[in-house]
Amino acid sequence: KNNKEQWSKPEKNFIGELEKTDNDVLWWFKNGVSESKYFGIAYKKNGGSHGSYYAFYPDFVLKTKKDILVVEIKDDRDLKNENLLKLNAGREYQKKYKGKENLYFYILSPLDYFNFFRALKDQTLDSFKSKFEENLVRYTQSRKVASATQTEKSK
C-alpha cells in the first residue's frame, strides 16, 4: 500500500484486475524503482558501442502455478522510443532466463487488460499478443521511416 498515490491510473486499474484473478495468480509484487533491492532490467540508450546502460524497473512481477510474468504498464498513447528500448531489453531478459518456470515479459496498456487476464485464466499466455507492444513497434518504425524521408529531402 505504500507509495500508492504515486501509481498511475493504468497501474491502479491493473491492480484492480489482478485482485479479481482468484487462483490464477499465486502472488504478485508491485515493484519499486531506482533501488538495488528492486527488480531491474538493464537497457542501453543511444545505441552503438558508446551507449550508456540504464535500469528500468518493470511495474509488476506475477507468479502463476507454472509461469513468472514480468509486466510493465504504460498509458495507451505512451509510444516513446525509450519504451521500445525497454521492450527489447525485456524480451532479451526473457530469452536469457534459465529458471524452472517459463518467464514472460510484457508491456501492457489498458487496451490489453481484458485479453491478458483472459489468457492468464485460460493459461494461453504463450499465444497472447500485447496490442500496446504492436502499436509501439509500428509507431516507432513509422517515425524512423518519416525521419529518414525528411533526411533524404534535406540533402
Side-chain angles (χ1 to χ4, degrees):
K1 295 205 185 289
N2 58 345
N3 297 331
K4 197 170 191 174
E5 65 282 346
Q6 296 173 2
W7 299 347
S8 69
K9 187 175 178 189
E11 289 172 340
K12 290 176 186 171
N13 292 344
F14 186 77
I15 290 169
E17 293 299 318
L18 262 179
E19 290 176 342
K20 297 178 199 167
T21 57
D22 295 330
N23 300 328
D24 305 318
V25 175
L26 299 178
W27 57 259
W28 61 271
F29 173 68
K30 172 66 176 95
N31 202 18
V33 293
S34 304
E35 293 181 49
S36 59
K37 66 182 177 181
Y38 296 119
F39 173 64
I41 296 176
Y43 72 104
K44 201 172 194 177
K45 282 189 186 177
N46 310 329
S49 57
H50 304 297
S52 301
Y53 280 96
Y54 293 84
F56 84 95
Y57 297 83
D59 295 308
F60 294 93
V61 178
L62 289 67
K63 176 71 178 90
T64 68
K65 290 180 180 105
K66 58 181 188 167
D67 301 318
I68 296 172
L69 313 175
V70 177
V71 180
E72 174 73 0
I73 300 295
K74 294 293 177 195
D75 184 84
D76 292 334
R77 296 173 304 282
D78 190 2
L79 302 174
K80 295 186 295 240
N81 282 340
E82 187 171 339
N83 290 335
L84 186 63
L85 299 176
K86 291 176 180 180
L87 175 61
N88 293 336
R91 286 183 175 166
E92 193 59 33
Y93 183 85
Q94 176 181 327
K95 258 190 253 170
K96 289 180 177 173
Y97 179 79
K98 299 285 184 246
K100 285 185 228 103
E101 308 94 341
N102 293 319
L103 180 134
Y104 294 98
F105 174 84
Y106 300 106
I107 299 182
L108 304 175
S109 74
L111 271 175
D112 292 307
Y113 294 175
F114 179 79
N115 289 331
F116 173 78
F117 284 104
R118 181 165 36 188
L120 182 66
K121 184 165 203 50
D122 297 343
Q123 297 184 14
T124 55
L125 284 167
D126 45 349
S127 62
F128 169 77
K129 298 279 185 254
S130 162
K131 289 278 180 229
F132 177 85
E133 291 176 7
E134 291 172 5
N135 292 342
L136 177 64
V137 169
R138 192 176 316 116
Y139 185 72
T140 49
Q141 285 173 341
S142 70
R143 262 197 312 235
K144 282 180 191 158
V145 169
S147 68
T149 305
Q150 289 297 80
T151 306
E152 281 301 309
K153 285 181 181 174
S154 63
K155 285 184 180 176

